[in-house]
Amino acid sequence: MKKKDNNSDDFQVCPIDYGFKRIGGKYKARILWYLKKDTVLRYGELSRALPDITTKMLTQTLKELENDKLVHREMFYQVPPRVDYSLTCTGEELIPFIDHVREWSLREMEKEKDLLAVGSR
Amino acid sequence: MKKKDNNSDDFQVCPIDYGFKRIGGKYKARILWYLKKDTVLRYGELSRALPDITTKMLTQTLKELENDKLVHREMFYQVPPRVDYSLTCTGEELIPFIDHVREWSLREMEKEKDLLAVGSR
DNA sequence: CCGTATCCGAGAGGATACTG
DNA sequence: CAGTATCCTCTCGGATACGG
């Protein structure tokens, strides 16, 4: 198997890979989704929206999303500090597709539940 | 942070997480995509379609997709052996959404290229 | 309130050789 | 042709403690 030699970037990047790298990762899609629902969320609100995330991962993921221009970050220099997060236009373009997965998943989870119910009686 | 205790499954599973687990992984989306394009592909054809995948990963990923009922596997007992892979109905439901990411990625990659071109002149 | 800084373990994925 | 079987590396993410 040919390994990509990194001193030449003339190899083709698959767009599917590219996309999944930008929204993959354990929490990225969920964060984007919560942001679309409420438009603007503070750090603490996001933290409460995703109860299973650690501060490390939340900070890190938000930073990645910001560098990727998918979320916008606004700091207010106050005491106590305040930081707002919201979607960029590019980030919003991803919402319909996250919605699609979500709907699909809900249907699939229903199917699983039904199957389980039938099996146990 | 509360850790999920695995002896009780009364905790809520987020549908977004659920979905991304089923189509996440380095090659799953790409494999589904190639299957939609050509409808039926043999193991070797898939291998050639994804030049960067090793046999180990291809076999493993296909097995996962099969267990998840996203792809269908058909063996022909011949010499030399032949195995066909195709999408299930559930798998097909994911294609529009993979398409969406792909289109988005193509646009984004264009934007990056333009940016680079401007920067270097 | 909004993070940083370390340390660490599990598992995803890679390289390589072999088989019915 | 269509996979198995090992071994190994390396990144992702969890736990925990501390800082402006």
Side-chain angles (χ1 to χ4, degrees):
Chain A
M1 292 297 133
K2 191 169 58 126
K3 186 125 196 263
K4 120 191 174 190
D5 47 321
N6 42 5
N7 54 348
S8 75
D9 51 348
D10 53 5
F11 68 97
Q12 282 302 61
V13 177
C14 169
I16 297 179
D17 270 8
Y18 174 92
F20 272 80
K21 247 174 229 145
R22 267 180 90 169
I23 54 154
K26 201 167 179 187
Y27 303 102
K28 285 191 180 177
R30 269 166 83 197
I31 289 178
L32 294 175
W33 201 76
Y34 278 114
L35 284 176
K36 88 106 186 211
K37 263 181 34 187
D38 300 292
T39 322
V40 168
L41 287 177
R42 301 180 54 171
Y43 185 90
E45 292 178 307
L46 277 169
S47 182
R48 256 164 275 126
L50 297 89
D52 53 335
I53 200 175
T54 61
T55 65
K56 179 202 169 193
M57 283 314 288
L58 182 53
T59 306
Q60 181 181 306
T61 308
L62 284 169
K63 205 167 285 175
E64 286 171 25
L65 290 171
E66 194 197 352
N67 291 338
D68 267 0
K69 311 253 185 278
L70 298 182
V71 314
H72 176 67
R73 179 176 187 269
E74 186 163 10
M75 285 198 62
F76 301 88
Y77 290 89
Q78 313 170 344
V79 181
R82 168 183 171 185
V83 184
D84 282 358
Y85 292 93
S86 56
L87 287 185
T88 63
C89 297
T90 314
E92 274 174 30
E93 290 172 22
L94 290 169
I95 297 299
F97 123 79
I98 295 177
D99 265 336
H100 190 284
V101 184
R102 194 167 160 283
E103 301 285 343
W104 180 85
S105 298
L106 286 170
R107 287 200 305 276
E108 286 297 307
M109 291 165 77
E110 256 326 291
K111 288 206 306 203
E112 276 185 21
K113 241 179 49 186
D114 292 353
L115 226 59
L116 229 56
V118 171
S120 65
R121 75 162 129 85
Chain B
M1 293 297 135
K2 192 169 57 129
K3 188 126 198 259
K4 124 191 171 187
D5 45 323
N6 42 3
N7 53 350
S8 75
D9 52 350
D10 52 5
F11 69 96
Q12 281 303 63
V13 177
C14 169
I16 297 179
D17 271 7
Y18 173 93
F20 273 78
K21 245 173 231 146
R22 267 180 90 168
I23 54 155
K26 201 167 179 187
Y27 304 101
K28 285 190 179 178
R30 270 165 84 196
I31 290 179
L32 294 175
W33 168 260
Y34 278 112
L35 284 176
K36 89 104 187 213
K37 265 181 32 188
D38 300 294
T39 322
V40 168
L41 288 178
R42 301 181 52 170
Y43 185 90
E45 293 177 305
L46 277 170
S47 182
R48 257 164 275 127
L50 297 89
D52 54 335
I53 200 173
T54 59
T55 64
K56 180 203 168 193
M57 282 313 290
L58 182 53
T59 307
Q60 180 181 306
T61 307
L62 283 169
K63 206 167 282 176
E64 286 171 25
L65 290 171
E66 194 196 354
N67 291 338
D68 266 0
K69 312 252 185 276
L70 298 182
V71 315
H72 176 68
R73 178 177 188 269
E74 186 162 11
M75 286 199 61
F76 301 87
Y77 290 90
Q78 314 171 344
V79 180
R82 166 181 174 188
V83 183
D84 282 359
Y85 292 94
S86 55
L87 287 186
T88 62
C89 298
T90 313
E92 276 174 29
E93 291 173 20
L94 290 169
I95 297 299
F97 125 79
I98 295 175
D99 265 337
H100 190 282
V101 185
R102 195 167 159 283
E103 301 286 343
W104 179 86
S105 299
L106 287 171
R107 286 200 305 276
E108 286 297 306
M109 290 163 79
E110 253 332 286
K111 288 206 307 202
E112 276 184 23
K113 241 179 50 185
D114 292 352
L115 226 58
L116 229 56
V118 170
S120 66
R121 73 162 130 86

